[in-house]
């Protein structure tokens, strides 16, 4: 995967959606990079995969719905979205029902993914 | 007419539920825009985007969303710029009563 | 190869997540409570050794924790050593 637009950024997302502001912060970085035409990929690991749970409803909590924000990532041309397959399996997550299309990776594939990016940002 | 206190310093509506078509006309007047049918189509689209994604769009996703929902003819930045000159995502969101887009250039 | 920094105890999710992405040939620098992951004979240390990553501890943090005598062959670096590591690895990823 070449990067004519700039260095390739991989944002590693490892926090559940509503435990802290970190989940939101990681998505904001990805959206900002995409808005500036920087190639950006996302990798959900550990508890971060919980952001991909379908049917999030934040009306009672009164915070922004991260599931719905995730659904807009393809409109930002963020289409390289990867998931820690073991974590998804650990939580019995139905990735087919996730807010956006993802690719599940095993441990070796995640290591390879990291090698193909120039910059890593972890949240 | 809403009082000045209903808006933040940049003129964005503080409370989404205060929005009405009349409020949209009030905000648009402040931007020297007279709302046509084409404007309303886009305002409704912006509000639909907000309901769907719980966020105001930056320019790139707004262009794509217009293309998807209104056809390729309208999914172009030049079309959006003709309706909301300068910064379509920002000014359009403002008139549609939405929060300021986070990643607004 | 990637330089990982871990600033969280081996009981944390940060440690578990870091371990999943740690590849052979990577380096892991332990900071703060992260230094406890290097304790010899513990399960976290066994997992780190099995990863094939190079293990480093930040001297002031390891000294404060009193673990310098319990980390076996793991390397200890001062702040200058930290800077050198950062220069040696193109990618860096922080776990906290």
């Amino acid at each position: 995967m070449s990067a004519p637009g700039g260095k390739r950024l991989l944002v590693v997302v490892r926090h559940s959606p509503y435990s802290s502001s970190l989940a939101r912060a990681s998505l904001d970085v990805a959206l900002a990079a995409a808005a500036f035409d920087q190639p950006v990929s996302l990798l959900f690991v550990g508890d971060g995969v919980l952001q991909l749970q379908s049917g999030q409803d934040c009306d009672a909590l009164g915070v922004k719905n991260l599931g719905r924000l995730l659904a807009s990532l393809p409109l930002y041309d963020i289409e390289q979205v990867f998931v820690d397959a073991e974590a998804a399996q650990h939580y019995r997550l139905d990735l087919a029902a996730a807010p956006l299309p993802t690719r599940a990776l095993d441990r070796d594939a995640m290591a390879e993914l990291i090698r193909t990016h120039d910059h890593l940002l972890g949240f | 007419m809403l009082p000045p206190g209903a808006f933040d310093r940049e003129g964005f509506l503080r409370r989404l539920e205060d929005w009405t078509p009349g409020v949209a006309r009030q905000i648009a007047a402040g931007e020297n825009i007279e709302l046509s049918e084409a404007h309303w189509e886009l305002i409704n689209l912006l509000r639909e985007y907000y309901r769907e994604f719980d966020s105001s769009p930056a320019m790139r996703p707004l262009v794509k969303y217009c293309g998807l929902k209104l056809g390729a003819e309208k999914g172009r930045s030049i079309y959006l710029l003709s309706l909301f000159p300068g910064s379509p995502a920002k000014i359009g969101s403002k008139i549609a009563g939405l929060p300021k887009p986070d990643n607004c250039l | 190869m990637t330089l990982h920094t871990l600033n969280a105890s081996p009981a944390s999710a940060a440690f578990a997540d870091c371990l999943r992405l740690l590849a052979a040939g990577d380096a892991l620098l332990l900071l703060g409570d992260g230094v406890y992951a290097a304790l010899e004979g513990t399960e976290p240390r066994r997992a780190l050794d099995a990863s094939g990553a190079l293990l480093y501890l930040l001297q002031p943090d390891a000294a404060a924790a009193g673990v310098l005598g319990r980390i076996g062959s793991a390397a200890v670096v001062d702040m200058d050593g930290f800077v050198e590591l950062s220069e040696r690895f193109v990618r860096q990823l922080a776990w906290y």
Side-chain angles (χ1 to χ4, degrees):
Chain A
M1 283 178 268
S2 65
K7 297 268 188 179
R8 288 175 53 82
L9 171 69
L10 177 67
V11 177
V12 179
V13 184
R14 44 172 294 263
H15 291 277
S16 56
Y18 307 109
S19 56
S20 72
S21 60
L22 287 168
R24 171 76 203 209
S26 58
L27 297 188
D28 282 343
V29 164
L31 294 178
F36 282 95
D37 288 327
Q38 296 302 303
V40 57
S41 315
L42 281 175
L43 172 62
F44 292 87
V45 299
D47 284 358
V49 304
L50 296 169
Q51 292 191 32
L52 298 167
Q53 171 66 47
S54 60
Q56 297 172 40
D57 179 351
C58 302
D59 287 352
L61 204 54
V63 299
K64 289 283 172 195
N65 188 318
L66 284 198
R68 284 202 258 152
L69 182 61
L70 280 173
S72 73
L73 293 191
L75 291 175
Y76 283 79
D77 290 325
I78 300 175
E79 275 149 1
Q80 303 290 323
V81 182
F82 305 93
V83 188
D84 176 351
E86 194 174 293
Q89 172 62 22
H90 174 76
Y91 285 114
R92 302 287 187 270
L93 202 62
D94 179 8
L95 289 175
L100 80 173
T102 62
R103 265 179 283 168
L105 303 181
D106 65 17
R107 199 166 168 159
D108 288 344
M110 286 196 292
E112 180 59 29
L113 182 73
I114 286 175
R115 276 195 289 277
T116 58
H117 286 79
D118 303 299
H119 293 294
L120 309 173
L121 265 179
F123 285 88
Chain B
M1 287 285 281
L2 287 175
F7 303 94
D8 71 11
R9 280 170 53 191
E10 290 184 82
F12 286 83
L13 206 54
R14 288 186 195 280
R15 289 158 34 95
L16 264 61
E17 52 275 29
D18 283 347
W19 188 88
T20 64
V23 170
R25 277 188 287 272
Q26 179 185 346
I27 302 171
E31 300 284 339
N32 294 315
I33 293 171
E34 195 178 332
L35 298 178
S36 66
E37 277 306 309
H39 287 101
W40 282 112
E41 184 178 49
L42 216 54
I43 291 169
N44 288 326
L45 189 82
L46 277 156
R47 293 181 61 81
E48 184 184 338
Y49 183 102
Y50 189 80
R51 278 191 297 273
E52 186 170 347
F53 301 119
D54 207 11
S55 56
S56 304
M59 186 63 177
R60 180 201 292 259
L62 179 58
V63 170
K64 279 194 111 173
Y65 198 64
C66 283
L68 287 173
K69 298 284 180 172
L70 307 177
E73 281 291 287
K74 293 175 177 173
R76 299 143 63 104
S77 14
I78 192 120
Y79 175 70
L80 300 182
L81 280 161
S82 72
L83 293 172
F84 300 109
S87 181
K90 185 177 165 191
I91 295 168
S93 293
K94 187 190 278 190
I95 296 172
L98 309 180
K100 184 182 172 186
D102 283 330
N103 298 297
C104 210
L105 305 186
Chain C
M1 295 295 105
T2 305
L3 170 64
H4 302 257
T5 59
L6 173 72
N7 191 347
S9 103
S12 65
F15 176 76
D17 295 342
C18 171
L19 201 55
R20 304 256 315 126
L21 295 193
L22 206 53
D26 284 355
L28 172 64
L29 175 64
L30 303 172
L31 316 162
D33 276 359
V35 300
Y36 297 113
L39 287 174
E40 273 206 308
T42 64
E43 194 47 48
R45 175 60 187 267
R46 269 192 288 276
L48 289 178
D49 287 343
S51 74
L54 306 163
L55 199 53
Y56 299 89
L57 289 82
L58 191 66
Q59 199 278 341
D61 295 350
V67 301
L68 283 172
R70 297 183 55 200
I71 55 172
S73 61
V76 177
V77 296
D78 56 12
M79 284 310 289
D80 288 343
F82 186 174
V83 172
E84 275 170 37
L85 278 175
S86 305
E87 288 167 351
R88 185 137 59 90
F89 290 84
V90 279
R91 284 179 298 272
Q92 197 167 330
L93 188 52
W95 304 91
Y96 49 88

